[in-house]
Amino acid sequence: MKSAVFKHLGLTLAGVMVLSACTTNPITGRSQFMIVSESMAVTQSAAAYNQMMGGLAEKHQVEDDSPRAQQVRSITERLIAQAVRYRPGSASWAWEVRVINDSKVVNAFCMAGGKMAIYTGMWEKLKATDDEIAQVMGHEIAHALADHTRERMSIAMTSQAGTQLAAIALASREHQGIALAGAQMAALLAIELPNSRDGEAEADQIGIELAARAGFDPAAAVSLWEKMAKEGGGGPPEFLSTHPSAENRAARLRELGVKVQPLYAAAKARAPESAPKFLAAKEAINERVVTRPGEPTREEYARQGAKDTLSFMTESFERFKRGETVLECRVQCSYGYNNGKAQWKQLHARGLWRDLAVSVIQVGYLSDLSYYFLAEAARGLQLKEASRTYYRRALDAGKQYGCAAEGCEGLEVDKLSRAALTR
Ligand SMILES: [Zn+2]
């Protein structure tokens, strides 16, 4: 939760509501303020995006056939093929990217649900290379993957200007007409509100790695920020107002670049991966792309990659895979746990095993329920030995740290763990 941002927006919300709206992000483990559901964020963003693009198309400001538009499509296609492996649910997003012809604007965005755009100022003003375009789009995709866009939609809906609209929208979700207006506006506001410092750091980290894995040079992240910082004519680029840059950003990106360099080298060395297409064909925008017989569907492809994880959390994930995760935190972590466990049950129900494991590990709370979820995640990822270890730890933890006091999400952890161990 970002109290500074709330103060900045003059937020007048009861603390209770703010607390109850916090969720733990499965990719980053950070607690976020969320009142907008994922499905709402995705549908409303798509509606706002279509409106926006419709208006721009009327003014002949959308480039679809230019070589650079085609290049952007092929670059983003490669990035998405990596992105969906870290958030398998995003494989079913209706991903789309358009080039907006406005040579004065240096900006790009990715809304909740994968609706993206990039402005021609990136080429006209910054002379951005393909590797640099990949870094910009990777960074934008990272914001959407880590739910920053939905987080900002939530903030937009509760800022003073949006409070009434938000209240109407939330109170009358059935009344589509009214809900649409408020949430669509929030979807547009979400791409105009500045990201938080934490959000920027996360997007830099995830974005540079997605790009490296897709075969784009991490050094381009540094050169891009340097170009951005220099671009002063007519004020700083729009990009920097929505993506505030920390002073040490170039240095930090350089460090991250060194870390992901082996991934980049590996991607360059191997033959291009055959991945399903995620972007709809230009003539069939908003229609689902059908995979050819024998090829994995987008969902299957995403699930196949789901045993892997992003490097910045690889160490703890590798420990998890070996059955070595030990949970020890109690008081300090109880907040994250109480906010996280309902979400864990949902991840569990949806079979998002890696997300489930990552979130439980990041929260780190010692209870039989935490271990049970770890065990289930390990079982889902076919890590048989590890799953048995965690079921046993769930039984052990149950003796002293049973979930009964705080609620077990309707699960009979003890009984279920015993049953799993006899299988
Ligand atoms: Zn950003």
Side-chain angles (χ1 to χ4, degrees):
M1 203 183 337
K2 301 282 163 310
S3 55
V5 174
F6 283 79
K7 218 177 278 168
H8 175 67
L9 289 167
L11 190 80
T12 53
L13 254 197
V16 179
M17 184 188 166
V18 173
L19 287 183
S20 65
C22 277
T23 58
T24 308
N25 186 289
I27 293 195
T28 60
R30 182 165 62 84
S31 176
Q32 289 174 305
F33 172 71
M34 294 291 186
I35 58 159
V36 178
S37 72
E38 189 185 337
S39 67
M40 190 186 191
V42 169
T43 50
Q44 301 305 314
S45 297
Y49 182 84
N50 288 341
Q51 257 185 22
M52 184 181 180
M53 291 305 147
L56 287 165
E58 271 174 32
K59 292 189 273 173
H60 305 288
Q61 276 193 292
V62 183
E63 268 188 34
D64 275 333
D65 295 312
S66 65
R68 63 188 172 194
Q70 284 162 15
Q71 192 61 5
V72 165
R73 292 171 62 79
S74 96
I75 291 170
T76 31
E77 192 71 81
R78 282 162 64 186
L79 293 168
I80 299 166
Q82 295 303 321
V84 299
R85 305 170 61 199
Y86 302 101
R87 182 165 173 173
S90 69
S92 50
W93 286 358
W95 293 89
E96 187 177 340
V97 65
R98 312 298 288 269
V99 172
I100 300 173
N101 200 331
D102 192 335
S103 59
K104 289 189 193 67
V105 178
V106 174
N107 207 3
F109 64 80
C110 181
M111 294 172 122
K115 298 292 190 191
M116 302 172 275
I118 181 165
Y119 291 78
T120 50
M122 280 287 174
W123 295 275
E124 306 288 339
K125 282 188 139 186
L126 289 196
K127 308 273 177 269
T129 63
D130 284 356
D131 285 306
E132 289 168 347
I133 297 292
Q135 295 297 336
V136 171
M137 297 318 289
H139 180 97
E140 293 305 319
I141 290 170
H143 277 307
L145 279 190
D147 272 333
H148 298 153
T149 13
R150 182 154 71 95
E151 189 178 17
R152 282 184 295 161
M153 253 180 103
S154 297
I155 292 169
M157 289 194 73
T158 44
S159 70
Q160 266 183 343
T163 305
Q164 281 182 323
L165 282 173
I168 294 168
L170 288 175
S172 60
R173 250 186 227 162
E174 301 88 327
H175 306 294
Q176 282 293 319
I178 306 170
L180 231 86
Q184 274 190 38
M185 188 181 290
L188 287 179
L189 269 171
I191 54 168
E192 281 169 22
L193 282 172
N195 278 285
S196 68
R197 196 178 278 259
D198 286 349
E200 279 311 291
E202 285 170 7
D204 279 347
Q205 205 161 248
I206 300 168
I208 201 171
E209 177 160 351
L210 293 178
R213 286 176 183 266
F216 296 104
D217 189 355
V222 181
S223 61
L224 175 78
W225 298 117
E226 285 170 350
K227 283 183 185 179
M228 289 260 190
K230 261 188 227 145
E231 172 61 40
E238 291 72 13
F239 191 89
L240 289 184
S241 70
T242 47
H243 304 265
S245 187
E247 269 172 39
N248 60 355
R249 192 174 214 160
R252 212 174 148 269
L253 284 168
R254 208 167 273 128
E255 258 172 51
L256 289 170
V258 172
K259 276 198 194 136
V260 300
Q261 181 65 33
L263 298 171
Y264 169 58
K268 293 293 274 185
R270 67 166 175 262
E273 250 179 323
S274 80
K277 292 272 172 277
F278 290 90
L279 291 168
K282 180 168 67 69
E283 55 278 7
I285 276 169
N286 283 334
E287 278 173 30
R288 316 307 298 127
V289 185
V290 183
T291 38
R292 267 164 287 181
E295 279 182 5
T297 65
R298 291 175 301 172
E299 284 75 12
E300 281 163 2
Y301 166 86
R303 271 201 302 274
Q304 281 160 13
K307 263 194 211 179
D308 205 351
T309 194
L310 292 158
S311 328
F312 66 91
M313 39 195 201
T314 296
E315 223 172 285
S316 57
F317 193 74
E318 290 302 317
R319 269 201 304 278
F320 157 74
K321 289 204 284 191
R322 293 193 300 263
E324 292 169 3
T325 302
V326 177
L327 306 168
E328 292 172 314
C329 182
R330 284 288 290 177
V331 178
Q332 276 181 313
C333 304
S334 62
Y335 176 76
Y337 172 73
N338 282 310
N339 279 308
K341 60 194 171 95
Q343 209 184 349
W344 295 345
K345 196 173 179 196
Q346 286 174 21
L347 294 173
H348 180 264
R350 293 164 64 195
L352 297 173
W353 306 120
R354 203 211 38 243
D355 287 358
L356 175 61
V358 166
S359 185
V360 173
I361 295 165
Q362 298 247 355
V363 168
Y365 186 76
L366 168 57
S367 84
D368 56 349
L369 184 63
S370 297
Y371 274 125
Y372 175 73
F373 278 130
L374 280 187
E376 289 283 292
R379 189 181 57 88
L381 293 169
Q382 277 125 43
L383 305 164
K384 197 160 175 248
E385 276 316 301
S387 79
R388 297 183 69 81
T389 305
Y390 298 128
Y391 285 124
R392 280 194 291 270
R393 284 188 193 153
L395 291 174
D396 266 357
K399 291 173 196 153
Q400 205 180 343
Y401 305 108
C403 51
E406 297 136 319
C408 299
E409 298 303 315
L411 296 166
E412 292 183 74
V413 173
D414 195 81
K415 203 171 139 194
L416 291 166
S417 302
R418 270 176 219 291
L421 282 169
T422 56
R423 271 203 291 262

